[in-house]
Structures are given as C-alpha cells and as structure tokens.
Amino acid sequence: MDSIHIWGGVALQGEVCIQGSKNATLPILAATLLTGECSYIRNCPRISDVYAMISLLQSLGCIVNWQENGILVDSSQVRRGEMRSEAVRGMRSSLCLLGAMLGRCSEVVMEHPGGCVIGSRPIDLHIEALKQMGVEFKEEAGLLKASADRLHGAVICLPRSSVGATENIILAGVMAEGDTELKGAAREPEIVALCRYLECCGACIEGIGTDCLRIKGGRTLYGTDFEVPADRIVAGTYLLTCIGTGGNLFLGKAPWREMEAVTNLAERMGGKLCISEKGIYVQGPDRPRAIECITTAPYPGFPTDLQSVALAVETVGDGNTVIEEKIFENRFRVVEELCRMGAKIRQLDASKVLVEGVPVLHGAAVEARELRGGAALVTAGLMARDKSSVSGCLYIYRGYENICRDFRELGARIISV
Ligand code: UD1
C-alpha cells in the first residue's frame, strides 16, 4: 500500500471526524513510563509512528495493548534503558523517551533519533538543557549514552523555541529533585496536552500554555486515564484541501481553539467558515485567493506542518504568494513534485518560494518524500483535473490514520494500492 491513486477535480462534500493528535499521543505515551503503573490513553490514532512508539515501549519492558480506540500501558516492569532499534532511527519523537527514561533509570543508551528528512534537526537544545539537570552525555560507536546519578531541577532558558526539548525538560523535570523553571518554553497545544496528562498523574506544573513553566519535581506519579485531543494538523490539512477543491465540509471534533492561524488563513483564501463546539464547517471558494505572504512560526503562528499543504493550495491561487519557512530548513522538497503537476513555483532563497497561481493543475506521477509534503501531494492530486499517483505513501501513514478513507467519504475518487 505504498501508492495512492487519485482522480481529481471533485469538490469535497460531507462530514469527517478528526483523529486523535499524533504529536500529543507520542510524548504522552513516553510519559506513561514515569508512573510505573497502568495508564489508559484514549483517542490514540492508529498510525505507524504510534505503532513504532508502542514497540519501543515494549522493548523497554512495558506491557502495551490496544483497547478499543485507546492504548493501555503498564510500565511497572521497566528495568533497562536501552533503545536500539529501527524505530529510534526512524522517528524523531523517540527522543522524548530520553527525558522519560532518565526519570526512570539512571542510565539510558539510545541510537541517534531520526524522523522526517526536513533539515538537519539537531538535538543540542535537548542535550544542553538535560546537562543543566545533572545528565552526562557520551557518544560511543554511534550511540548516545546519557547518565544521571541525581537528576535535579534547574533554571533553564531555551534560546530557541523547541517542542521536543520543552517536552524532554518537562518529562525529566517532574521526576527531578527540586523545581525546574523553564523560560522560552514552546507553547504548542501538544505540550499543554502532555502537561495535562502529567497533572492527572499527580505532577505539579505551573504556567501551562505559557512560555514560562515552573515544574515541581519529585512528586509520586500515578497511572491515569486520559483522552488525547483531536489532531489540529489533520484538521488543517482537510480544511485547506476544501479551500483548494471547493465544496462543503464539516470537520467533526476539529480543535478550532488551537487552529486560529489556520482558520484565519482559510478565510483570507476565500473560505466561509462556521465554527461551533462540535467542529468546523467550511465552504470552499470557486478559486482560492492568493495570499501575499504565508510565514510559518511557532504556535500560535501558522504551523510549519501545514506549510506544504498551504503551498499546494496556492498553486491554483488567483495571483502570487510568497511562502516563507521559518522553522525548518529543507522543507520545500514538495516543490519539484508540484511543478510536475503544472505548478509554477520559484525558489527565492533557502527559506522562501514564490508561487504563481495557475488556473488548474494536471495529474502526474509524483513521490512523497516526507509526511506533510506527502499529504500536500494528495491535496494537489485532489485539486488536479485528471489522474495522479503519489508513491512513497508510507510517509503519509506515519501521521494520517486513513487519508484515503476520509477523502473517499467526502466524495473524492481516491484509492491506496
Ligand atoms: C515537533 C513536531 C513537528 C513540528 C515541530 C515544529 C512532534 C513529534 N513533532 O518536532 O511535527 O513540525 O515540532 O512545530 O511533536 N532545533 C535545534 N536544536 C534542538 C532541537 C530543535 O536547533 O535541539 C531546531 C530544529 O532543527 C527546528 C526548530 O528547532 O529548526 C524547531 O524544532 P522542534 O520544535 O524541536 O521540532 P520537533 O520537536 O522535532
């Protein structure tokens, strides 16, 4: 099931229910290690990154089972802190197991974490922060060794916003001796979800949702039952695809409170939105309006994870759009593929492209090279006038539970083969 075939040009119509958030589920699953008890995490998406996290937890000694739409994790038997597997190399969020495991064992050995190929993705912020909390690092034969005889609180100031580093500091901080004050914390909703889960376990974290967190360390944490919020990136993908294809959609459970930058953009592109507690209704325009400049930024700014989808939509905008990527380098790998479909895109510099809107894209055989870029190619295929095929779709399944089923339910002609 590595390819998706799409016969485009259909205006999307109907209702879809948004899956649980990938980026919230992964650190919460890592956090279940801290309790040494059972936690039941509801509304987990059935995606390959979650399966990879499950096998990592199992390799550490956890007993993990799906129960309905949730995952039951029993972390009482965790003894060793060794993570050497394909899953570590393939998934950057395995990095949050570092903070969690340091909270559990005094030594952790892991392979260098991977993830989508979008820029060099260094881990210096994680390492510097954990060093301040008493962790020593060594690199031996490609393995990262971290040890801490005594994990202690610290005053940490992150020089740049980092979701993963903020999560690692929180995970280590709740287990450390003493308090940790984190300035410059990332404020993404997934961090809020992680903090809420830890609060349910008995942790004390002040300043949740702000860039200054105060974490009281050393409290006993207990297993709990927690519901993961809906995925704002999946909701944003479907919302923007409706802007690109026209039609009417209802995005059930879409977490609209966390989506202001995206819903604002959709409205500026000509979408008519009606937001209620139940979700977002959107009516797409005949043709998307070209927005002069779309710039990604840490939350609450426009998310980098939706940059490629917005780019795909603006390929058929009624004018020119500059897309500026401020978070990751090398996140324009989709440009070449969109150009195969008739898009006119020029790279202005490493972080900027100019999109000159064309009336319609044509179908083509294209290749997904990373998760969100892959989703953007599906969006483009749905907007195009004839048949497209997207290969490399295993990337897409890392984050989207069943993108073909969802779009098919909305009237699209799309199959995975
Ligand atoms: C998380 C999300 C990812 C999203 C990204 C930014 C998960 C599983 N993934 O990734 O979907 O695109 O946030 O919203 O939640 N950086 C450093 N040194 C570090 C760490 C990061 O220089 O030690 C840089 C990165 O290269 C990048 C920027 O900081 O340029 C932001 O990265 P970060 O917020 O850490 O992203 P992730 O946590 O990897």
Side-chain angles (χ1 to χ4, degrees):
M1 305 293 249
D2 185 39
S3 291
I4 293 179
H5 291 193
I6 308 160
W7 291 263
V10 175
L12 300 178
Q13 209 94 40
E15 184 171 338
V16 67
C17 184
I18 302 300
Q19 69 184 59
S21 162
K22 161 175 110 60
N23 288 354
T25 301
L26 297 170
I28 290 172
L29 286 177
T32 62
L33 280 168
L34 299 179
T35 66
E37 292 193 349
C38 279
S39 276
Y40 181 54
I41 313 299
R42 281 175 283 132
N43 200 31
C44 294
R46 289 182 186 262
I47 52 176
S48 54
D49 270 12
V50 167
Y51 290 119
M53 179 59 89
I54 290 174
S55 53
L56 277 170
L57 289 173
Q58 286 168 331
S59 74
L60 291 168
C62 294
I63 301 163
V64 190
N65 287 300
W66 280 94
Q67 275 189 12
E68 296 172 7
N69 73 342
I71 299 174
L72 191 64
V73 187
D74 173 357
S75 62
S76 59
Q77 301 304 314
V78 170
R79 300 272 176 267
R80 49 186 194 278
E82 225 176 278
M83 288 175 280
R84 296 191 201 200
S85 79
E86 190 53 43
V88 179
R89 285 194 295 275
M91 187 176 63
R92 178 152 169 107
S93 46
S94 57
L95 192 54
C96 57
L97 286 167
L98 180 61
M101 282 305 290
L102 282 166
R104 200 58 206 271
C105 318
S106 54
E107 194 175 87
V108 179
V109 178
M110 73 188 295
E111 304 221 15
H112 201 287
C116 272
V117 196
I118 38 174
S120 54
R121 305 194 84 170
I123 60 169
D124 55 316
L125 299 174
H126 300 247
I127 291 187
E128 288 312 314
L130 291 170
K131 274 186 184 168
Q132 288 184 55
M133 302 176 80
V135 183
E136 280 180 24
F137 286 93
K138 275 191 220 148
E139 227 169 323
E140 271 171 30
L143 294 174
L144 188 65
K145 289 191 180 181
S147 52
D149 291 337
R150 201 186 128 254
L151 200 59
H152 57 76
V155 176
I156 298 169
C157 195
L158 280 178
R160 299 189 293 288
S161 175
S162 165
V163 174
T166 301
E167 289 166 351
N168 254 330
I169 295 164
I170 294 168
L171 291 165
V174 291
M175 300 304 274
E177 266 179 57
D179 295 357
T180 296
E181 193 177 336
L182 174 57
K183 297 173 185 165
R187 292 185 288 157
E188 268 65 4
E190 295 75 26
I191 292 168
V192 173
L194 173 65
C195 292
R196 297 286 176 226
Y197 165 73
L198 288 167
E199 277 192 324
C200 289
C201 296
C204 178
I205 304 170
E206 289 168 8
I208 297 175
T210 73
D211 64 357
C212 185
L213 298 174
R214 181 176 278 277
I215 304 151
K216 297 206 183 300
R219 297 203 166 194
T220 307
L221 301 185
Y222 302 96
T224 189
D225 178 322
F226 188 78
E227 177 157 337
V228 170
D231 196 307
R232 64 192 173 104
I233 303 300
V234 172
T237 303
Y238 295 174
L239 177 59
L240 292 174
T241 304
C242 183
I243 300 296
T245 59
N248 301 281
L249 287 195
F250 181 71
L251 304 167
K253 293 192 183 170
W256 53 270
R257 285 189 182 80
E258 307 167 355
M259 291 176 64
E260 213 178 317
V262 183
T263 51
N264 279 345
L265 180 74
E267 281 178 330
R268 286 166 60 216
M269 284 174 159
K272 292 203 171 73
L273 270 62
C274 182
I275 294 174
S276 73
E277 278 308 320
K278 290 189 174 156
I280 302 174
Y281 168 79
V282 53
Q283 185 181 355
D286 291 338
R287 183 175 182 186
R289 266 186 230 136
I291 306 302
E292 206 177 317
C293 187
I294 301 173
T295 306
T296 62
Y299 187 82
F302 187 77
T304 173
D305 285 351
L306 286 171
Q307 179 259 104
S308 337
V309 181
L311 167 56
V313 173
E314 287 296 27
T315 60
V316 296
D318 64 359
N320 292 353
T321 298
V322 170
I323 309 257
E324 192 174 7
E325 173 55 61
K326 293 258 205 181
I327 310 292
F328 289 109
E329 57 194 74
N330 200 13
R331 214 173 198 184
F332 287 121
R333 291 160 66 93
V334 73
V335 163
E336 197 184 324
E337 303 303 297
L338 289 172
C339 290
R340 281 180 211 275
M341 302 176 77
K344 280 196 183 161
I345 307 168
R346 222 163 9 105
Q347 186 105 29
L348 298 177
D349 60 41
S351 63
K352 262 191 217 152
V353 295
L354 171 68
V355 187
E356 294 172 54
V358 294
V360 70
L361 296 180
H362 57 73
V366 289
E367 187 187 347
R369 292 172 189 175
E370 39 97 9
L371 163 57
R372 306 300 174 188
L377 292 175
V378 173
T379 297
L382 291 166
M383 293 175 352
R385 114 183 119 212
D386 39 23
K387 189 191 163 196
S388 298
S389 62
V390 183
S391 60
C393 293
L394 294 183
Y395 284 116
I396 301 176
Y397 305 141
R398 292 181 60 165
Y400 296 80
E401 217 167 43
N402 201 332
I403 200 168
C404 291
R405 175 203 61 201
D406 287 349
F407 281 130
R408 235 183 348 259
E409 279 174 9
L410 300 173
R413 290 171 297 181
I414 178 169
I415 51 166
S416 55
V417 288

mmCIF file of all heavy atoms in Angstrom, residues 186-204:
data_model
loop_
_atom_site.group_PDB
_atom_site.id
_atom_site.type_symbol
_atom_site.label_atom_id
_atom_site.label_comp_id
_atom_site.label_asym_id
_atom_site.label_seq_id
_atom_site.Cartn_x
_atom_site.Cartn_y
_atom_site.Cartn_z
ATOM 1 N N ALA A 186 8.316 26.159 24.479
ATOM 2 C CA ALA A 186 7.376 26.178 23.353
ATOM 3 C C ALA A 186 5.963 26.088 23.928
ATOM 4 O O ALA A 186 5.759 25.549 25.021
ATOM 5 C CB ALA A 186 7.667 25.003 22.427
ATOM 6 N N ARG A 187 4.980 26.632 23.194
ATOM 7 C CA ARG A 187 3.609 26.715 23.741
ATOM 8 C C ARG A 187 2.617 25.891 22.934
ATOM 9 O O ARG A 187 1.411 26.094 23.035
ATOM 10 C CB ARG A 187 3.163 28.188 23.719
ATOM 11 C CG ARG A 187 3.934 29.035 24.693
ATOM 12 C CD ARG A 187 3.381 30.432 24.721
ATOM 13 N NE ARG A 187 3.712 31.176 23.516
ATOM 14 C CZ ARG A 187 3.019 32.226 23.077
ATOM 15 N NH1 ARG A 187 1.940 32.633 23.710
ATOM 16 N NH2 ARG A 187 3.390 32.857 21.986
ATOM 17 N N GLU A 188 3.113 24.994 22.090
ATOM 18 C CA GLU A 188 2.229 24.203 21.215
ATOM 19 C C GLU A 188 1.180 23.461 22.053
ATOM 20 O O GLU A 188 1.474 23.010 23.178
ATOM 21 C CB GLU A 188 3.064 23.197 20.418
ATOM 22 C CG GLU A 188 3.536 23.675 19.049
ATOM 23 C CD GLU A 188 4.514 24.847 19.076
ATOM 24 O OE1 GLU A 188 4.918 25.282 20.174
ATOM 25 O OE2 GLU A 188 4.864 25.359 18.001
ATOM 26 N N PRO A 189 -0.032 23.304 21.518
ATOM 27 C CA PRO A 189 -1.107 22.615 22.244
ATOM 28 C C PRO A 189 -0.719 21.196 22.683
ATOM 29 O O PRO A 189 -1.235 20.690 23.677
ATOM 30 C CB PRO A 189 -2.240 22.560 21.222
ATOM 31 C CG PRO A 189 -1.959 23.663 20.273
ATOM 32 C CD PRO A 189 -0.482 23.835 20.222
ATOM 33 N N GLU A 190 0.195 20.569 21.955
ATOM 34 C CA GLU A 190 0.609 19.200 22.316
ATOM 35 C C GLU A 190 1.389 19.215 23.636
ATOM 36 O O GLU A 190 1.375 18.229 24.377
ATOM 37 C CB GLU A 190 1.474 18.604 21.199
ATOM 38 C CG GLU A 190 0.728 18.408 19.875
ATOM 39 C CD GLU A 190 0.474 19.691 19.096
ATOM 40 O OE1 GLU A 190 1.248 20.667 19.259
ATOM 41 O OE2 GLU A 190 -0.516 19.740 18.336
ATOM 42 N N ILE A 191 2.070 20.334 23.917
ATOM 43 C CA ILE A 191 2.783 20.458 25.190
ATOM 44 C C ILE A 191 1.766 20.642 26.319
ATOM 45 O O ILE A 191 1.906 20.071 27.398
ATOM 46 C CB ILE A 191 3.781 21.634 25.117
ATOM 47 C CG1 ILE A 191 4.886 21.256 24.141
ATOM 48 C CG2 ILE A 191 4.345 21.980 26.495
ATOM 49 C CD1 ILE A 191 5.773 22.369 23.727
ATOM 50 N N VAL A 192 0.734 21.413 26.016
ATOM 51 C CA VAL A 192 -0.341 21.590 27.013
ATOM 52 C C VAL A 192 -0.951 20.220 27.312
ATOM 53 O O VAL A 192 -1.165 19.863 28.481
ATOM 54 C CB VAL A 192 -1.417 22.571 26.481
ATOM 55 C CG1 VAL A 192 -2.613 22.629 27.422
ATOM 56 C CG2 VAL A 192 -0.801 23.957 26.276
ATOM 57 N N ALA A 193 -1.187 19.407 26.277
ATOM 58 C CA ALA A 193 -1.794 18.076 26.489
ATOM 59 C C ALA A 193 -0.877 17.212 27.358
ATOM 60 O O ALA A 193 -1.350 16.525 28.279
ATOM 61 C CB ALA A 193 -2.065 17.397 25.149
ATOM 62 N N LEU A 194 0.427 17.255 27.088
ATOM 63 C CA LEU A 194 1.370 16.472 27.901
ATOM 64 C C LEU A 194 1.307 16.922 29.369
ATOM 65 O O LEU A 194 1.249 16.092 30.285
ATOM 66 C CB LEU A 194 2.803 16.648 27.355
ATOM 67 C CG LEU A 194 3.924 16.041 28.193
ATOM 68 C CD1 LEU A 194 3.809 14.521 28.252
ATOM 69 C CD2 LEU A 194 5.307 16.447 27.646
ATOM 70 N N CYS A 195 1.301 18.237 29.578
ATOM 71 C CA CYS A 195 1.239 18.753 30.963
ATOM 72 C C CYS A 195 -0.060 18.329 31.639
ATOM 73 O O CYS A 195 -0.068 17.974 32.822
ATOM 74 C CB CYS A 195 1.346 20.280 30.971
ATOM 75 S SG CYS A 195 2.966 20.883 30.476
ATOM 76 N N ARG A 196 -1.164 18.368 30.897
ATOM 77 C CA ARG A 196 -2.456 17.974 31.498
ATOM 78 C C ARG A 196 -2.433 16.500 31.882
ATOM 79 O O ARG A 196 -2.952 16.110 32.925
ATOM 80 C CB ARG A 196 -3.619 18.237 30.528
ATOM 81 C CG ARG A 196 -3.816 19.694 30.174
ATOM 82 C CD ARG A 196 -4.443 20.484 31.324
ATOM 83 N NE ARG A 196 -4.528 21.901 30.976
ATOM 84 C CZ ARG A 196 -4.195 22.913 31.745
ATOM 85 N NH1 ARG A 196 -3.753 22.704 32.979
ATOM 86 N NH2 ARG A 196 -4.319 24.154 31.353
ATOM 87 N N TYR A 197 -1.843 15.671 31.027
ATOM 88 C CA TYR A 197 -1.739 14.250 31.362
ATOM 89 C C TYR A 197 -0.923 14.099 32.659
ATOM 90 O O TYR A 197 -1.330 13.396 33.588
ATOM 91 C CB TYR A 197 -1.082 13.455 30.224
ATOM 92 C CG TYR A 197 -0.625 12.082 30.673
ATOM 93 C CD1 TYR A 197 -1.553 11.065 30.917
ATOM 94 C CD2 TYR A 197 0.725 11.821 30.927
ATOM 95 C CE1 TYR A 197 -1.142 9.824 31.393
ATOM 96 C CE2 TYR A 197 1.137 10.583 31.397
ATOM 97 C CZ TYR A 197 0.201 9.590 31.629
ATOM 98 O OH TYR A 197 0.602 8.368 32.119
ATOM 99 N N LEU A 198 0.226 14.785 32.712
ATOM 100 C CA LEU A 198 1.093 14.653 33.897
ATOM 101 C C LEU A 198 0.384 15.183 35.145
ATOM 102 O O LEU A 198 0.536 14.616 36.234
ATOM 103 C CB LEU A 198 2.419 15.386 33.665
ATOM 104 C CG LEU A 198 3.347 14.686 32.652
ATOM 105 C CD1 LEU A 198 4.482 15.608 32.230
ATOM 106 C CD2 LEU A 198 3.921 13.392 33.244
ATOM 107 N N GLU A 199 -0.398 16.251 34.983
ATOM 108 C CA GLU A 199 -1.178 16.752 36.129
ATOM 109 C C GLU A 199 -2.148 15.681 36.621
ATOM 110 O O GLU A 199 -2.309 15.480 37.824
ATOM 111 C CB GLU A 199 -1.984 17.979 35.719
ATOM 112 C CG GLU A 199 -1.195 19.268 35.760
ATOM 113 C CD GLU A 199 -2.116 20.475 35.625
ATOM 114 O OE1 GLU A 199 -3.123 20.393 34.877
ATOM 115 O OE2 GLU A 199 -1.830 21.493 36.238
ATOM 116 N N CYS A 200 -2.788 14.996 35.670
ATOM 117 C CA CYS A 200 -3.715 13.918 36.061
ATOM 118 C C CYS A 200 -2.974 12.818 36.818
ATOM 119 O O CYS A 200 -3.553 12.118 37.645
ATOM 120 C CB CYS A 200 -4.387 13.289 34.852
ATOM 121 S SG CYS A 200 -5.573 14.334 34.063
ATOM 122 N N CYS A 201 -1.686 12.652 36.506
ATOM 123 C CA CYS A 201 -0.881 11.621 37.193
ATOM 124 C C CYS A 201 -0.428 12.096 38.576
ATOM 125 O O CYS A 201 0.151 11.314 39.333
ATOM 126 C CB CYS A 201 0.379 11.291 36.382
ATOM 127 S SG CYS A 201 0.070 10.572 34.784
ATOM 128 N N GLY A 202 -0.582 13.394 38.842
ATOM 129 C CA GLY A 202 -0.175 13.912 40.158
ATOM 130 C C GLY A 202 0.959 14.922 40.112
ATOM 131 O O GLY A 202 1.421 15.395 41.153
ATOM 132 N N ALA A 203 1.410 15.292 38.909
ATOM 133 C CA ALA A 203 2.507 16.272 38.806
ATOM 134 C C ALA A 203 1.979 17.685 39.057
ATOM 135 O O ALA A 203 0.777 17.931 38.945
ATOM 136 C CB ALA A 203 3.134 16.201 37.414
ATOM 137 N N CYS A 204 2.910 18.576 39.392
ATOM 138 C CA CYS A 204 2.512 19.971 39.598
ATOM 139 C C CYS A 204 3.320 20.838 38.625
ATOM 140 O O CYS A 204 4.547 20.906 38.716
ATOM 141 C CB CYS A 204 2.774 20.355 41.046
ATOM 142 S SG CYS A 204 2.375 22.068 41.352
#
